[in-house]
Amino acid sequence: MKYRRIGSPLSRILYGSSTTPSLILSLFLILMATRFSLYRSAHLCIRPTSSFSRLSTKNLLQCPSCPLWSSSFSLCLHTFRKSTSPGKSITVRSFSPSSASISDHPSKMSMASDDNPLLKDFDFPPFDVIEAKHVRPGIRALLNKIEEELSALEKSVEPTWPKLAEPLEKIIDRLTVVWGAVNHLKSVKDNPELRSALEEVQPEKVAFQLKLGQSKPIYNAFKAIRESPEWDSFSDARKRIVESQIKEAVLSGIALEDDQREQFNKIEQDLAKLSQKFEENVLDSTKKFEKLIIDKKDIDGLPATSLGLAAQTAVSKGHENATAEDGPWIITLDAPSYMSVMQHAKNRTLREEVYRAYINRASSGDLDNTEIINQILKLRLEKAKLLGYNNYAEVSMAMKMATVEKAEELLEKLRSASWDPAVKDLEDLKDFCKSQGSPEADDLNHWDITFWSERLRESKYELNEEELRPYFSLPRVMDGLFNLVKMLFDINVEPADGLAPVWNNDVRFYRVNDSSGSPIAYFYFDPYSRPSEKRGGAWMDEVVSRSRVLSRDGSNARLPVAHMVCNQMPPVGDKPSLMTFREVETVFHEFGHALQHMLTKQDEGLVAGIRGVEWDAVELPSQFMENWCYHRDTLMGIAKHHETGETLPEDIYKKLLAAKTFRAGTLSLRQLRFATVDLELHAKYVPGGSESIYCVDRRVSKKTQVLPPLPDDKFLASFSHIFAGGYAAGYYSYKWAEVLSADAFSAFEDVGLENEKAVKETGQRFRETVLALGGGKAPLEVFVQFRGREPSPEPLLRHNGLLTSSA
């Protein structure tokens, strides 16, 4: 849900070697062994620690990334024609604190300030005027009000849907929308004042979440509903909500008494503070590194776009006369700058310096995250023990499809299949270096791998990513993406700039219409990397969800609103944003997440869109959408030279397809390293024991890295996925969901990708199941409803080069 991959299109298992039927069977058995656990439900929350942990600060759908990169792709939209569409009615409303109450007669709140935008009634969050000074009084006024409403609900609660679930949804939604807006601004417009304000009110927010999650009247009412005669008549969605609330209440410590509950609550408060501090340290350490270069020969090899960005950065740092041609240039650890150096800089010393700085972010001095990690792991283990679990991984898995054992089994099967191809990858790279007369051929190190891999790819496939950029201008890419979803899902995406306030002038706003022209959703798009104020990564999250209960007019459901945030290189000079093919994949991936949120037809707000979808299934739509980047008609429709309009040559398209599995074993092992060390730390590691966290990583790396990591590699200190995000004991989810997404795309292959009529029909079926049902049905049921059978690993193995197509 953040921390986007930069070097790998996705966490694929791309091998280029054959496999045996036994591997397919074993992978199938691993997945099917957990089939009955798929019926467990989960909220949008990533950490199943509180019934309402969806309100936490890190519940974003992060994209699979290599945490060794600053995972930031952004979408530069300067060249888009901005327009508004007058005459369209706004049918989406966000509930502000004063917009509703649990009573039948909404009443106005007594606000700390009439001018506080957080406390006003709004359609879309007033991102343009929210400031740090509004946070303390606004959040406190909101918390006071909803705490009163919670107390009133507890006194009057009845085990009926209108008297329990509906008022509860209203309480949850208010905090979700307001806190979400403020926390979003911290991610995209960070400053010391906003940090301080959030840090001050966060304990109060967490305290309310705990009170809500540990409410026995609400818990008992949900249990009474489940045991009532009406239970069998409940819809699947309502049953999922009830079951989820009961299970999450247990995970929130509702069964704990007195001292144990007090200890549990303190752990939750401490974990929230530690995670926030972890992320701030990563951001600050990333910003801290700047390498000023005066002599152009020191950055020989960098493409023109990268030189322009480095000069642009230098200008922003006070070097007013800096130019792309003559410098000076500033290199940073922000992804566009970092990856350009690693891929293209001929200066090996520079590559080493930048690489070492990157893998050691937040691992020393005042920004050292090492002790924070130790404390997080210690507290998570204590929390698990209080809840009756052996380790925190078991707590995490309680709301997922898999179990610890099945996740480990899947990772090991994939690791063993990836190892030999990865060994060959390194051998091929060494041989290529020798053929080029490289002095480091016999001593390849980590700062050489990306550089020489790029040269080998250029040589083997005659593909140069920088030379492809002119064919992938952002306006064309977005037009192609919107045309694709129109064909697949019968929707129209149109600009709606000016309809909603935005937090930066580069942010775009869009309306999604159905085939009749009626709006069904909206989304924001924040494209550029802004290292001084915006954290790295690419993510999607909800602004508001679809909801019948929160309808303004009492009849039409409130429409969903999403935001997509990326960190791509901004335009340089008068050129539009020109993208690499990997960046194109990123856009498609993020939009897949947004589609599941926006195209939901689920009216029960607690399981609409991405809410309630098990975390190891939530990547299905995003990874599914990436497959269309290799679809000939889609790709050729967007790949037009930004100056001449020339279509991408056919031979280049074929080379892109051929290069799809390039160095697949190596890329797969990298993701498996991260997933495995995550599970090791949360299932087996003993905080304070004889083994340090970095020792665990080195031990795992012996089986997952052909080239051992450096002795001083401390990438864990910036592994925000599991220490500041929602992937603790859950990083394996990327691999798990790949089976589902590959099999889903194979349904389109089965009917023929060139058969537009059949593709449209299959697309509609995908929309009416995977995209429409949200968390209202168990993922396995949703998949079977779409595919007509349970998932098979064969399409994944075939797509990734482990099998040849039966065709």
Side-chain angles (χ1 to χ4, degrees):
M1 287 220 78
K2 317 172 79 140
Y3 315 85
R4 179 65 173 178
R5 78 254 192 252
I6 290 295
S8 150
L10 238 198
S11 52
R12 299 188 181 95
I13 314 160
L14 305 171
Y15 310 119
S17 62
S18 61
T19 190
T20 62
S22 62
L23 176 58
I24 303 174
L25 178 61
S26 60
L27 288 172
F28 180 78
L29 292 176
I30 291 169
L31 291 163
M32 289 304 102
T34 59
R35 56 196 279 186
F36 297 110
S37 69
L38 302 188
Y39 292 87
R40 297 178 301 196
S41 55
H43 279 313
L44 174 65
C45 59
I46 310 172
R47 298 182 302 162
T49 60
S50 163
S51 294
F52 307 99
S53 56
R54 75 175 66 79
L55 304 179
S56 77
T57 62
K58 298 293 179 181
N59 293 340
L60 311 181
L61 280 175
Q62 304 177 337
C63 295
S65 70
C66 166
L68 291 182
W69 294 315
S70 169
S71 319
S72 26
F73 281 173
S74 68
L75 306 176
C76 306
L77 300 163
H78 276 204
T79 57
F80 273 73
R81 174 180 58 84
K82 295 204 172 189
S83 66
T84 57
S85 300
K88 292 284 185 179
S89 61
I90 304 174
T91 55
V92 55
R93 284 288 216 176
S94 300
F95 269 75
S96 77
S98 63
S99 61
S101 83
I102 63 170
S103 68
D104 293 332
H105 303 286
S107 59
K108 292 291 182 182
M109 291 173 52
S110 175
M111 302 305 174
S113 169
D114 292 337
D115 297 327
N116 194 319
L118 295 176
L119 302 178
K120 291 184 179 294
D121 193 10
F122 52 75
D123 296 300
F124 302 103
F127 288 119
D128 57 336
V129 295
I130 298 174
E131 298 179 21
K133 66 182 181 181
H134 300 128
V135 174
R136 292 179 181 88
I139 295 298
R140 283 171 175 153
L142 170 63
L143 289 172
N144 287 337
K145 180 60 178 177
I146 59 178
E147 189 159 347
E148 291 175 5
E149 294 183 350
L150 175 59
S151 297
L153 175 60
E154 289 177 322
K155 292 175 183 177
S156 63
V157 67
E158 298 177 16
T160 66
W161 205 256
K163 296 292 186 179
L164 172 60
E166 292 182 3
L168 181 62
E169 182 181 340
K170 293 176 182 178
I171 292 173
I172 292 172
D173 190 78
R174 295 189 201 178
L175 188 52
T176 300
V177 172
V178 177
W179 182 267
V182 173
N183 190 63
H184 172 68
L185 287 176
K186 181 178 181 294
S187 296
V188 297
K189 203 171 183 178
D190 186 40
N191 61 69
E193 294 77 18
L194 185 57
R195 279 190 188 186
S196 176
L198 273 168
E199 184 177 341
E200 189 173 319
V201 296
Q202 181 173 266
E204 299 165 45
K205 188 267 295 187
V206 174
F208 174 78
Q209 289 177 244
L210 289 167
K211 182 176 181 179
L212 189 59
Q214 295 170 356
S215 170
K216 288 193 174 181
I218 292 176
Y219 172 68
N220 290 331
F222 274 116
K223 287 205 300 181
I225 285 180
R226 188 175 61 179
E227 295 163 3
S228 70
E230 292 77 26
W231 177 249
D232 290 340
S233 65
F234 269 39
S235 66
D236 289 341
R238 290 189 173 185
K239 286 182 177 180
R240 291 264 292 176
I241 290 171
V242 172
E243 295 284 5
S244 177
Q245 293 295 332
I246 293 172
K247 175 168 284 191
E248 286 192 342
V250 174
L251 294 175
S252 297
I254 198 165
L256 302 178
E257 299 292 345
D258 302 329
D259 291 347
Q260 283 192 327
R261 178 177 289 199
E262 185 177 339
Q263 181 185 358
F264 181 92
N265 291 352
K266 185 178 186 305
I267 287 173
E268 290 291 82
Q269 290 281 8
D270 290 345
L271 283 172
K273 293 176 184 176
L274 289 167
S275 291
Q276 180 173 317
K277 183 61 176 174
F278 183 100
E279 183 61 27
E280 289 173 357
N281 285 349
V282 174
L283 176 61
D284 290 345
S285 63
T286 301
K287 291 193 297 183
K288 188 176 180 180
F289 179 89
E290 293 178 5
K291 176 71 173 178
L292 178 64
I293 296 178
I294 298 175
D295 193 336
K296 192 170 185 177
K297 73 177 186 336
D298 290 338
I299 49 173
D300 186 25
L302 261 65
T305 52
S306 300
L307 291 173
L309 177 64
Q312 202 165 276
T313 303
V315 170
S316 71
K317 301 294 182 179
H319 300 273
E320 297 178 0
N321 298 320
T323 65
E325 295 75 20
D326 301 318
W329 306 268
I330 288 182
I331 301 298
T332 71
L333 297 182
D334 194 51
S337 179
Y338 170 75
M339 281 308 298
S340 181
V341 170
M342 301 313 297
Q343 285 183 314
H344 301 293
K346 296 180 180 180
N347 184 342
R348 193 186 189 207
T349 302
L350 175 64
R351 295 202 306 266
E352 178 180 356
E353 180 182 356
V354 173
Y355 178 83
R356 287 184 181 276
Y358 200 91
I359 63 170
N360 286 294
R361 288 179 303 155
S363 65
S364 62
D366 295 339
L367 302 176
D368 192 349
N369 273 337
T370 303
E371 185 53 34
I372 291 177
I373 294 174
N374 290 328
Q375 286 297 311
I376 288 174
L377 292 173
K378 177 176 177 290
L379 290 172
R380 285 175 177 171
L381 181 59
E382 289 179 9
K383 174 179 167 179
K385 298 287 188 181
L386 281 173
L387 294 174
Y389 291 91
N390 294 314
N391 52 64
Y392 185 77
E394 292 181 357
V395 177
S396 175
M397 298 289 181
M399 300 300 290
K400 293 183 173 68
M401 294 169 63
T403 63
V404 176
E405 293 73 20
K406 293 305 175 185
E408 290 176 335
E409 193 175 341
L410 176 66
L411 294 178
E412 174 55 28
K413 292 289 184 183
L414 298 176
R415 187 206 65 80
S416 62
S418 304
W419 184 262
D420 287 345
V423 170
K424 188 174 188 307
D425 286 344
L426 186 58
E427 291 173 351
D428 290 346
L429 200 60
K430 289 179 178 179
D431 290 343
F432 177 74
C433 288
K434 289 178 182 178
S435 72
Q436 301 301 302
S438 167
E440 62 257 34
D442 294 321
D443 184 33
L444 281 183
N445 217 313
H446 292 278
W447 46 87
D448 303 316
I449 299 299
T450 304
F451 176 82
W452 283 108
S453 294
E454 192 65 16
R455 305 290 82 75
L456 174 58
R457 195 173 73 93
E458 292 169 357
S459 173
K460 186 173 183 178
Y461 301 103
E462 297 180 339
L463 281 177
N464 181 304
E465 280 201 345
E466 290 302 314
E467 293 177 0
L468 287 178
R469 279 186 187 270
Y471 288 96
F472 296 116
S473 66
L474 185 64
R476 290 274 192 184
V477 171
M478 299 308 292
D479 285 346
L481 174 58
F482 296 157
N483 287 335
L484 173 66
V485 296
K486 179 177 182 179
M487 185 268 291
L488 290 176
F489 310 128
D490 199 20
I491 59 174
N492 291 285
V493 181
E494 64 180 20
D497 299 296
L499 184 61
V502 295
W503 52 93
N504 185 282
N505 289 335
D506 296 325
V507 176
R508 296 296 311 277
F509 191 68
Y510 292 94
R511 177 192 292 110
V512 181
N513 298 324
D514 63 18
S515 56
S516 70
S518 299
I520 56 175
Y522 301 85
F523 68 98
Y524 302 82
F525 208 10
D526 184 356
Y528 301 136
S529 168
R530 299 188 297 273
S532 64
E533 64 176 10
K534 182 178 176 183
R535 68 174 173 77
W539 64 92
M540 168 269 162
D541 197 14
E542 68 171 57
V543 179
V544 300
S545 67
R546 181 180 173 88
S547 172
R548 170 189 54 82
V549 170
L550 295 170
S551 165
R552 283 294 198 189
D553 59 15
S555 57
N556 298 312
R558 181 183 68 176
L559 300 185
V561 183
H563 61 60
M564 294 168 52
V565 182
C566 300
N567 273 279
Q568 186 176 310
M569 183 186 296
V572 177
D574 58 357
K575 290 184 178 180
S577 173
L578 301 177
M579 306 166 69
T580 66
F581 184 69
R582 292 166 181 167
E583 291 169 338
V584 174
E585 290 178 292
T586 300
V587 176
F588 277 60
H589 180 108
E590 298 301 342
F591 201 60
H593 282 311
L595 286 171
Q596 187 172 34
H597 178 66
M598 296 188 296
L599 299 191
T600 184
K601 292 187 177 179
Q602 180 56 255
D603 287 342
E604 297 292 347
L606 294 179
V607 289
I610 57 177
R611 288 185 176 186
V613 179
E614 278 76 352
W615 203 244
D616 37 11
V618 80
E619 293 291 335
L620 193 169
S622 56
Q623 295 180 126
F624 163 82
M625 284 299 295
E626 290 201 32
N627 288 282
W628 292 99
C629 294
Y630 292 92
H631 177 231
R632 187 186 182 282
D633 290 349
T634 299
L635 184 64
M636 300 305 258
I638 65 177
K640 309 283 186 181
H641 197 283
H642 76 103
E643 291 177 337
T644 67
E646 174 194 4
T647 300
L648 185 76
E650 181 71 25
D651 64 319
I652 301 236
Y653 167 68
K654 292 179 178 178
K655 291 172 183 176
L656 276 172
L657 289 182
K660 184 178 179 182
T661 58
F662 178 62
R663 291 181 57 76
T666 300
L667 297 178
S668 176
L669 282 185
R670 173 172 289 164
Q671 288 297 100
L672 292 169
R673 173 193 177 188
F674 304 142
T676 305
V677 75
D678 171 34
L679 285 182
E680 283 283 325
L681 290 174
H682 288 103
K684 301 174 183 177
Y685 176 67
V686 180
S690 59
E691 195 177 32
S692 74
I693 56 172
Y694 301 117
C695 289
V696 174
D697 180 42
R698 283 192 284 274
R699 173 165 54 80
V700 167
S701 295
K702 290 180 180 178
K703 285 190 170 186
T704 56
Q705 297 284 277
V706 177
L707 184 65
L710 298 178
D712 60 342
D713 184 334
K714 294 184 178 180
F715 98 90
L716 284 174
S718 58
F719 196 178
S720 296
H721 269 81
I722 67 172
F723 297 120
Y727 287 83
Y731 200 90
Y732 77 93
S733 298
Y734 291 121
K735 292 297 185 186
W736 193 272
E738 277 187 289
V739 172
L740 304 176
S741 63
D743 198 355
F745 186 74
S746 73
F748 292 81
E749 295 175 317
D750 289 348
V751 301
L753 291 175
E754 307 310 316
N755 184 340
E756 185 171 328
K757 181 176 182 294
V759 166
K760 285 182 177 181
E761 291 172 351
T762 309
Q764 282 300 305
R765 194 166 75 249
F766 187 85
R767 177 183 175 179
E768 295 300 320
T769 52
V770 176
L771 299 181
L773 297 177
K777 272 184 178 289
L780 180 59
E781 293 182 43
V782 174
F783 185 90
V784 170
Q785 191 171 334
F786 166 67
R787 199 68 177 93
R789 57 166 173 74
E790 293 180 337
S792 165
E794 188 275 337
L796 174 65
L797 300 174
R798 173 168 50 81
H799 290 169
N800 294 346
L802 281 169
L803 295 173
T804 57
S805 171
S806 58

